[in-house]
Amino acid sequence: IVTYVLAGHLEHKDSMGNGSVMTYGDVQRMSAGTGVRHSEFNHSRADEVHMLQIWIEPSVQGLTPSYEQRAFALGPHWTALIDPAAARGAMAIQRPVRIWRAKPNAHQALSLGLEPQAQGWLQLIGGSVQVEAGPLLGQGDGLGFSAEAISTITAGATGAGVLLFELQ
């Protein structure tokens, strides 16, 4: 379970003894494995919380429950958040899935760089991007594609916030 906070403060508690308050840019990776109880709730009585939660089924069953949370520096280029081998400072998961985050500036082009046989998913969390030879995507839009179909995206006039998933 990958949780990414976009705005506000999200509080987390679980039966492994973990507890924290997540803020903008924080990413949490939790494997429920053989069983864990957890709760998440808005830490503030006055402010809204906005977050994405992505559930990815592991490659194997019966894993020991585990938890990791980290703040990632966000910039105009791809930052690795999730990688099976914890490459490039990312958090590891038990599935051949990689997740990156970028906040490209206005009209900035980004190369996707997926492995040739991979499937991709773009999730827009802010602004807009023009997909190479494809549609204009706005906040909340998602697009599935093959690595051969798309190699570049370009941020719109106000920049963008993008998650990129690489699925093997």
Side-chain angles (χ1 to χ4, degrees):
I1 303 166
V2 178
T3 303
Y4 182 61
V5 176
L6 303 172
H9 297 83
L10 182 70
E11 189 163 348
H12 165 86
K13 294 181 182 180
D14 67 40
S15 59
M16 294 182 288
N18 301 303
S20 65
V21 176
M22 298 174 63
T23 62
Y24 174 74
D26 287 351
V27 179
Q28 179 189 97
R29 183 228 18 104
M30 185 175 72
S31 172
T34 54
V36 64
R37 290 184 315 274
H38 74 103
S39 63
E40 295 157 330
F41 50 93
N42 189 344
H43 182 70
S44 171
R45 293 182 188 268
D47 300 322
E48 293 184 1
V49 66
H50 184 197
M51 56 86 145
L52 294 176
Q53 192 164 74
I54 302 126
W55 289 56
I56 301 170
E57 188 173 334
S59 298
V60 295
Q61 300 296 311
L63 296 168
T64 301
S66 62
Y67 166 91
E68 185 177 4
Q69 181 176 314
R70 205 178 310 160
F72 286 87
L74 302 175
H77 301 288
W78 296 116
T79 298
L81 305 177
I82 300 292
D83 184 279
R88 298 172 295 280
M91 294 185 284
I93 62 169
Q94 296 294 320
R95 185 76 181 202
V97 172
R98 291 176 181 84
I99 303 174
W100 290 275
R101 167 77 160 96
K103 286 186 67 175
N105 297 314
H107 307 293
Q108 178 185 347
L110 285 176
S111 174
L112 301 183
L114 301 183
E115 295 293 326
Q117 302 304 315
Q119 297 295 308
W121 180 268
L122 288 171
Q123 186 67 47
L124 266 288
I125 53 180
S128 64
V129 297
Q130 179 66 55
V131 176
E132 170 189 31
L136 176 69
L137 302 176
Q139 183 173 341
D141 288 344
L143 178 70
F145 59 95
S146 65
E148 300 87 28
I150 301 172
S151 62
T152 305
I153 59 172
T154 302
T158 61
V162 186
L163 287 176
L164 171 63
F165 297 75
E166 180 180 1
L167 315 165
Q168 296 290 325

